[in-house]
Amino acid sequence: MTTSFSESLRNATWADHESAESEGYLTELMAGRLSEHEYGEMVAQHYFAYTALDGVSRELAEHPVAGHFVFPELYREPALERDLATVYGPGWRDRIAPSASTGALVARIRETAGWPGGYIAHHYTRYLGDLSGGQFIRMELQKIYGYAKGGGVDFYVFDELGSLPRFKAEYRSRLDALELDESERRRIISEVKLAYRLNTAVLAELFHTVRAAA
């Protein structure tokens, strides 16, 4: 029985996914041991990463392959701007800056504008996570910080998608419909693994920052 690409992708990167979820910063965050502003540091890094990712999405919207993975209803900048304004107030833009690890992630994302498979790899890594484990994170953050819809955790709110399980199933069907040779399959899987490492590095740097400030 032939394994679908989406299943191969998930199986090949599961350990990377688990490693990202167990990172110390997220452990502290989910335990309610970080201040609101320390949580805001992650929101800020998301802002720079998603500005890059959604920017590449717009560039590739008409691409015959990558265009199948461009969903304007997923764009996160407006939601992240509301969240940052809630956490830091109206002067939030003057309070945030990309970390070194975020800079590396952003640079790699921007490079994928020239490689549809690479764009899909980073899009898959971020958005499928946001639509899955990210929903648990949202519920916990609402309990910890008392946020409601309208700012604070809007990053995790995808009301425009309707049913999240249905959307994820459609997304995976699009992955499976890609016409890829074995070399390109392996290359995309390798890029997803790299995307996990880059994103985990962002969390590790955040953890170092909050520990240093303690």
Side-chain angles (χ1 to χ4, degrees):
M1 182 175 174
T2 303
T3 303
S4 68
F5 181 51
S6 61
E7 188 175 353
S8 296
L9 193 53
R10 182 179 58 197
N11 293 341
T13 60
W14 184 252
D16 305 275
H17 173 77
E18 291 282 282
S19 176
E21 285 198 336
S22 63
E23 217 295 319
Y25 176 88
L26 286 181
T27 299
E28 294 294 295
L29 181 65
M30 292 295 94
R33 291 193 285 266
L34 298 184
S35 70
E36 187 178 13
H37 283 185
E38 287 172 331
Y39 158 62
E41 288 297 316
M42 182 179 73
V43 181
Q45 302 315 309
H46 282 343
Y47 178 75
F48 295 108
Y50 281 86
T51 297
L53 184 58
D54 294 342
V56 174
S57 287
R58 292 182 179 94
E59 288 183 48
L60 296 178
E62 302 302 320
H63 191 278
V65 176
H68 291 292
F69 297 87
V70 174
F71 304 91
E73 60 269 35
L74 286 178
Y75 292 165
R76 292 292 87 192
E77 296 106 310
L80 285 163
E81 288 175 359
R82 291 194 298 274
D83 292 344
L84 287 165
T86 297
V87 174
Y88 292 123
W92 63 268
R93 291 183 187 276
D94 296 325
R95 298 195 53 155
I96 68 171
S99 65
S101 51
T102 295
L105 172 61
V106 165
R108 185 61 180 178
I109 289 171
R110 287 178 175 158
E111 287 175 3
T112 68
W115 173 34
Y119 161 74
I120 292 168
H122 285 268
H123 195 273
Y124 165 86
T125 301
R126 283 302 335 178
Y127 277 116
L128 264 288
D130 300 333
L131 296 172
S132 300
Q135 298 308 298
F136 170 76
I137 293 175
R138 173 181 60 82
M139 290 186 289
E140 291 303 301
L141 292 177
Q142 286 176 319
K143 294 175 188 176
I144 294 167
Y145 301 109
Y147 294 129
K149 189 183 296 185
V153 289
D154 279 14
F155 167 74
Y156 299 103
V157 177
F158 294 89
D159 288 346
E160 292 184 13
L161 296 182
S163 167
L164 299 191
R166 187 181 304 118
F167 179 85
K168 289 189 291 182
E170 169 61 22
Y171 193 104
R172 293 189 180 100
S173 73
R174 295 188 185 202
L175 287 172
D176 295 337
L178 289 169
E179 296 182 3
L180 305 170
D181 60 25
E182 188 57 31
S183 175
E184 185 68 358
R185 278 187 170 221
R186 289 197 300 267
R187 190 181 177 203
I188 291 173
I189 289 172
S190 178
E191 189 68 23
V192 171
K193 294 172 77 68
L194 173 60
Y196 274 120
R197 291 196 301 273
L198 290 170
N199 280 282
T200 301
V202 173
L203 293 173
E205 188 170 355
L206 283 169
F207 187 47
H208 176 77
T209 299
V210 299
R211 287 188 66 183

